[in-house]
């Protein structure tokens, strides 16, 4: 397995020389997308999606990055929030950052106002995670570069650590990465970026997020099919021509990482009914309350 510190240092050293050449067949771009990503994936948990970017299309990124996405929140650096290692070849630094996806915010608010919004949200994250923020540096970061993206990354930095090239070591990087991924998990459990006055019950909010996450839905439908586990209605059979299954995923166990036994498939009506129960995990109680029969089609 490639070393995260060694690969990071190599990219910082080679980027100024190779970024003038075409991105498409650059060995450095391949190093970023393959070795660097693999080194990052080694430090990740199974629910993290790890991505590395050398640039987009034909253009080199001024700030190459390696990101850890929790699939409950995002699978793209443009939106949501995530942990990222940002390289500034110009400053010869690597910055580990708990960050907010800047592009979605910049698109919605414009550049100047978007950066102000990002800085405000980053401050909110520090307030929500004071215990974690205290372990790290919460001051502004300087990534160099001239383009819009580095300015967005700087504004969206909540807290983290900047390493100068000579100080890069696997021990420090892995310890900080581990702690920052724990902060990421706590931010999700505490309501993410939603203001606390909108999150009456963080556990219910998390359950809603888990039930609608694409990877959880895939897992649940693959394991249990598309019929409602209470009344038997199969949305795909009952409504001809409906491409998207009308049935929904219900979380039986309060966990952010459900297995097949932690989820059930319910039609929207039964789903609403079970959430209204005192115990939203009591499938037997829901079945006892059923007063209608669905015929089999055909
Ligand atoms: Zn549910
Ligand atoms: Zn049902």
């Amino acid at each position: 397995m490639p070393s995260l510190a060694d690969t990071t240092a190599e990219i910082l050293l080679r980027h100024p020389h190779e970024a003038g050449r075409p991105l498409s067949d650059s060995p450095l771009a391949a190093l970023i997308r393959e070795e660097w990503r693999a080194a990052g994936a080694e430090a990740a948990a199974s629910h993290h999606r790890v991505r590395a970017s050398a640039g987009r299309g034909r253009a080199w990124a001024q700030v190459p990055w390696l990101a850890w996405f929790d699939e409950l929140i995002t699978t793209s650096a443009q939106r949501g929030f995530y942990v990222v290692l940002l390289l500034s070849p110009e400053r010869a630094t690597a910055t580990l950052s708990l960050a907010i996806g800047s592009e979605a915010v910049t698109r919605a608010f414009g550049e100047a106002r978007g950066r102000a919004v990002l800085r405000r949200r980053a401050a909110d994250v520090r307030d929500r995670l004071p215990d974690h923020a205290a372990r790290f540096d919460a001051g502004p970061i300087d990534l160099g570069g001239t383009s819009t993206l580095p300015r967005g990354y700087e504004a969206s930095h909540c807290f983290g650590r900047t390493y100068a090239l000579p100080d890069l070591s696997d021990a420090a990087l892995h310890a900080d990465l581990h702690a920052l991924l724990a902060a990421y998990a706590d931010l999700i459990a505490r309501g993410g970026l939603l203001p606390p006055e909108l999150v009456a019950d963080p556990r219910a909010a998390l359950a809603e997020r888990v039930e609608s996450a694409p990877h959880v839905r895939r897992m649940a439908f693959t394991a249990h099919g598309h019929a409602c586990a209470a009344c038997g209605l199969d949305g795909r059979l009952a409504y001809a021509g409906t491409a998207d299954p009308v049935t929904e995923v219900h979380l039986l166990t309060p966990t952010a990482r459900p297995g097949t036994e932690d989820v059930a498939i319910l039609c929207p009506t039964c789903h609403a009914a079970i959430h209204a129960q005192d115990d939203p995990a009591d499938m037997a109680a829901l079945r006892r309350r059923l007063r209608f029969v669905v015929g089999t089609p055909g």
Side-chain angles (χ1 to χ4, degrees):
M1 236 347 123
S3 141
L4 185 56
D6 291 351
T7 317
T8 302
E10 189 179 342
I11 297 163
L12 282 172
L13 288 168
R14 285 170 58 183
H15 189 279
H17 311 288
E18 290 197 36
R21 300 180 197 154
L23 179 65
S24 46
D25 46 29
S26 155
L28 180 62
L31 177 82
I32 289 174
R33 289 169 184 147
E34 288 152 34
E35 271 97 319
W36 201 35
R37 201 204 73 84
E42 204 193 2
S46 62
H47 60 271
H48 292 126
R49 229 187 246 199
V50 182
R51 281 198 50 205
S53 173
R56 234 181 251 171
R58 301 163 66 99
W60 278 92
Q62 290 188 340
V63 175
W65 53 258
L66 172 63
W68 291 263
F69 303 126
D70 188 311
E71 285 188 291
L72 282 180
I73 302 301
T74 187
T75 52
S76 157
Q78 299 189 16
R79 66 189 78 86
F81 52 95
Y82 48 88
V83 171
V84 64
L85 184 59
L86 300 160
L87 301 196
S88 170
E90 194 179 312
R91 301 275 183 265
T93 57
T95 298
L96 204 49
S97 171
L98 178 62
I100 299 162
S102 65
E103 283 166 87
V105 176
T106 308
R107 259 198 306 278
F109 295 96
E111 271 186 40
R113 198 182 290 267
R115 284 201 282 273
V117 169
L118 285 166
R119 277 192 290 271
R120 216 157 55 220
R121 299 222 165 128
D124 287 343
V125 168
R126 290 193 285 276
D127 287 336
R128 188 160 264 180
L129 300 172
D131 43 346
H132 294 282
R135 279 201 52 153
F136 287 99
D137 304 321
I141 56 171
D142 170 16
L143 298 168
T146 49
S147 65
T148 305
L149 268 174
R151 299 293 82 74
Y153 299 151
E154 287 164 358
S156 76
H157 173 72
C158 305
F159 53 83
R161 185 106 55 220
T162 296
Y163 313 87
L165 178 54
D167 302 333
L168 280 167
S169 82
D170 274 319
L173 263 180
H174 282 283
D176 283 338
L177 177 60
H178 191 257
L180 213 51
L181 289 172
Y184 188 19
D186 272 358
L187 180 57
I188 296 166
R190 294 178 197 178
L193 301 181
L194 283 172
E197 61 273 26
L198 294 185
V199 188
D201 178 357
R203 271 174 82 141
L206 181 61
E208 219 179 289
R209 204 186 264 284
V210 174
E211 288 182 351
S212 60
H215 68 287
V216 174
R217 288 170 53 85
R218 267 194 309 276
M219 175 275 286
F221 288 128
T222 304
H224 302 297
H226 293 274
C228 174
C231 73
L233 181 99
D234 184 328
R236 293 190 313 177
L237 297 177
Y239 302 91
T242 306
D244 195 32
V246 184
T247 32
E248 299 174 350
V249 174
H250 176 60
L251 191 64
L252 296 167
T253 322
T255 170
R257 318 277 164 226
T260 54
E261 298 310 303
D262 301 315
V263 290
I265 305 303
L266 291 174
C267 72
T269 308
C270 291
H271 197 187
I274 204 168
H275 273 278
Q277 287 181 179
D278 288 337
D279 178 5
D282 194 344
M283 291 286 291
L286 178 68
R287 286 194 193 101
R288 279 198 301 275
R289 289 162 60 220
L290 278 175
R291 289 287 179 274
F292 63 95
V293 177
V294 178
T296 20

